Amino acid sequence: MRASDRAYATLLDEIQSGILRPGAVLGEVEQAARLGVSRTPLREALGRLAADGLVAQQSPRVTVVTAIDAGDIREIFEVRRALEESAARLAAERGDAAAFADLARDFAQVDLAGDEAPGTASPRADGTDAYYALIERFDLALDAAVANDYLTAALRTVRTHLVRVRRLARDNPGRLAASVAEHRLIAAAIAARNADLGAHATHVHLHNALHSILESLRAAALTNSSTPRSI
């Protein structure tokens, strides 16, 4: 892997995971030393992150992690809705029905709590981590089924920001359980080659996801504003 690719991958992971929070300053000299690369590959990595919309340049040598607010999230979901509903329709027409039937079955078997399966010492699933891994499999299957490089490239850009959005929102067990069921329905509709149901189920899922994320952010803002500040 090239030095610029390593720097990009590390910074991307740190931004998406919340290690580098919105507003964090990425000084060129400091980041190059921290990541063990020269300034040229670091600049290439920062340029890619800027193209992704994850950082912005404040001066020739200082870059900051961009903020993301409710307005940004709504705009992301406007694009996401258009792309994912179209993708669901195309996947129902072009995709491998058996592959999506398998995904629907796997979504039905997700155990968010990670409880042990009867008669075994192993959990049926590793909770939310297993669920998000299954979503990645679903996304890959969707991209393969769509077979449209322009559409999948646009989806990849949106998904880059969605990782940040999920991290900003608080965990909601009830919402996660509903999301599992919604993904199962989408996969089952695609497997049945029902394009209308696939698109509609995707629309409902995205509506519920957006509402939940915005409610979570509002609740977090209220909590922060009511927390006494030490003097």
Side-chain angles (χ1 to χ4, degrees):
M1 184 181 291
R2 297 186 308 155
S4 61
D5 292 334
R6 291 199 310 272
Y8 172 80
T10 300
L11 291 171
L12 175 63
D13 179 69
E14 291 176 347
I15 292 170
Q16 290 182 326
S17 66
I19 294 173
L20 292 174
R21 300 187 64 79
V25 176
L26 304 179
E28 185 177 295
V29 175
E30 294 79 7
Q31 293 302 316
R34 183 176 73 89
L35 297 173
V37 299
S38 64
R39 294 187 191 180
T40 297
L42 177 68
R43 288 173 190 151
E44 292 177 5
L46 292 175
R48 291 173 62 185
L49 292 168
D52 292 336
L54 297 175
V55 303
Q57 195 169 27
Q58 282 192 338
S59 74
R61 295 185 183 279
V62 176
T63 303
V64 299
V65 178
T66 55
I68 186 166
D69 59 21
D72 296 318
I73 293 170
R74 290 190 182 94
E75 290 179 2
I76 290 169
F77 269 79
E78 286 176 358
V79 177
R80 186 184 181 193
R81 186 178 298 119
L83 294 173
E84 292 196 8
E85 289 182 27
S86 294
R89 286 186 178 278
L90 291 172
E93 297 169 1
R94 305 172 179 175
D96 181 347
F100 284 96
D102 289 342
L103 284 164
R105 180 201 63 223
D106 291 343
F107 278 118
Q109 294 176 349
V110 166
D111 176 14
L112 291 171
D115 295 331
E116 291 183 358
T120 73
S122 303
R124 285 189 293 264
D126 298 324
T128 55
D129 287 343
Y131 170 52
Y132 286 129
L134 184 54
I135 289 179
E136 289 183 12
R137 283 178 49 205
F138 175 81
D139 288 343
L140 289 172
L142 195 67
D143 292 348
V146 167
N148 182 317
D149 291 341
Y150 298 101
L151 180 55
T152 53
L155 279 169
R156 279 195 297 273
T157 299
V158 170
R159 290 167 187 159
T160 297
H161 291 277
L162 285 175
V163 177
R164 293 183 78 197
V165 171
R166 291 191 188 111
R167 296 288 183 183
L168 290 173
R170 298 187 302 181
D171 286 339
N172 183 331
R175 174 59 206 148
L176 282 174
S179 182
V180 172
E182 290 160 6
H183 274 94
R184 184 199 61 76
L185 179 57
I186 296 168
I190 294 173
R193 302 210 178 280
N194 190 329
D196 288 338
L197 179 57
H200 178 70
T202 300
H203 181 89
V204 170
H205 167 64
L206 296 181
H207 171 82
N208 291 340
L210 176 60
H211 177 76
S212 177
I213 288 168
L214 294 178
E215 283 297 312
S216 178
L217 292 181
R218 277 192 287 269
L222 288 173
T223 299
N224 292 337
S225 64
S226 63
T227 300
R229 295 178 180 271
S230 58
I231 299 175

